């Protein structure tokens, strides 16, 4: 092979390289250090992004398992409300009332095992985050807005409000 035949191969030897990559012989030590620093910073950002993704995925999985029954609990609360209404309006001494009480108790225990708990309302200071006021009245007995009557119980699922309590609020009397 002559020099003339070999030169086209040598001329095209770097043609398949990335134009951003430069021969290391043409770069000085400062250029190499800068390129290395850039690659290291890129690696650290990528590692941090991956760690954030891993944490976020774990947190989302935990929330899905913890709050996965939210829709089911919301659908079952009206059933519990109706059982409580039936108990409130049934004549005392009715043998059916005892059965309804047992079913309601079992229903409440099942909801509690899922993390559903009732919200305290009557006698508590009014909190719009957990109480929904649908009426009010002045009262000389209170110094701050206080829940006077609960018209429909509210519930939490762990630390989230599932349904706010419907309440009537006692306001301090104006002087």
């Amino acid at each position: 092979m002559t020099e003339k035949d070999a030169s086209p191969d040598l001329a095209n030897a770097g043609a398949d390289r990335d134009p951003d990559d430069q021969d290391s012989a043409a770069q000085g030590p400062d250029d190499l250090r800068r390129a290395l620093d850039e690659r290291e910073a890129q690696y650290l950002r990528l590692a941090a992004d991956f760690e954030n993704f891993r944490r976020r995925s774990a947190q989302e999985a935990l929330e899905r398992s913890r709050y996965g029954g939210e829709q089911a609990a919301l659908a079952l609360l009206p059933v519990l409300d109706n059982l409580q209404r039936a108990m409130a309006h049934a004549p005392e001494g009715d043998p059916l009332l005892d059965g309804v009480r047992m079913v309601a108790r079992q229903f409440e225990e099942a909801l509690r095992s899922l993390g559903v708990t009732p919200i305290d309302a009557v006698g508590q200071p009014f909190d719009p985050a957990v109480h929904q006021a649908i009426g009010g009245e002045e009262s000389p007995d209170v110094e701050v807005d206080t829940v006077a009557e609960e018209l429909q119980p509210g519930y939490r699922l762990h630390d989230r409000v599932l349904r706010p309590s419907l309440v009537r609020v006692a306001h301090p009397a104006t002087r």
Side-chain angles (χ1 to χ4, degrees), residues 141-155:
D141 301 331
V142 297
E143 294 180 15
V144 296
D145 288 347
T146 304
V147 176
E149 180 183 3
E150 181 179 53
L151 304 169
Q152 182 181 41
Y155 293 90

Side-chain angles (χ1 to χ4, degrees), residues 3-136:
E3 260 181 60
K4 207 177 212 186
D5 293 335
S7 63
D9 290 339
L10 290 175
N12 293 329
D16 60 341
R17 282 191 170 172
D18 189 357
D20 292 337
D21 288 345
Q22 298 174 349
D23 287 338
S24 59
Q27 293 180 343
D30 291 338
D31 292 336
L32 289 174
R33 173 57 58 195
R34 195 172 317 119
L36 179 62
D37 289 345
E38 288 174 14
R39 295 290 183 197
E40 185 179 4
Q42 182 182 17
Y43 168 75
L44 291 174
R45 282 192 301 273
L46 185 60
D49 285 345
F50 180 72
E51 182 63 24
N52 289 339
F53 169 76
R54 191 184 63 74
R55 281 190 196 131
R56 190 171 44 251
S57 294
Q59 181 65 29
E60 288 171 358
L62 178 66
E63 285 188 13
R64 269 194 309 274
S65 69
R66 184 174 175 137
Y67 299 108
E70 182 174 4
Q71 293 302 315
L74 275 171
L76 294 173
L77 287 178
V79 176
L80 180 60
D81 292 338
N82 288 331
L83 286 171
Q84 291 169 341
R85 284 186 198 104
M87 290 185 307
H89 293 94
E92 201 56 49
D94 187 349
L96 189 59
L97 180 59
D98 292 333
V100 172
R101 281 188 182 133
M102 286 189 285
V103 170
R105 193 172 321 119
Q106 185 178 20
F107 205 92
E108 289 168 346
E109 289 171 7
L111 286 173
R112 195 171 6 268
S113 74
L114 296 173
V116 178
T117 56
I119 295 173
D120 290 332
V122 177
Q124 300 293 317
F126 175 73
D127 180 359
V130 295
H131 303 129
Q132 182 176 350
I134 61 169

Side-chain angles (χ1 to χ4, degrees), residues 152-167:
Q152 182 181 41
Y155 293 90
R156 292 181 193 273
L157 177 60
H158 302 293
D159 56 345
R160 283 187 190 168
V161 174
L162 195 57
R163 180 178 81 183
S165 300
L166 295 180
V167 299

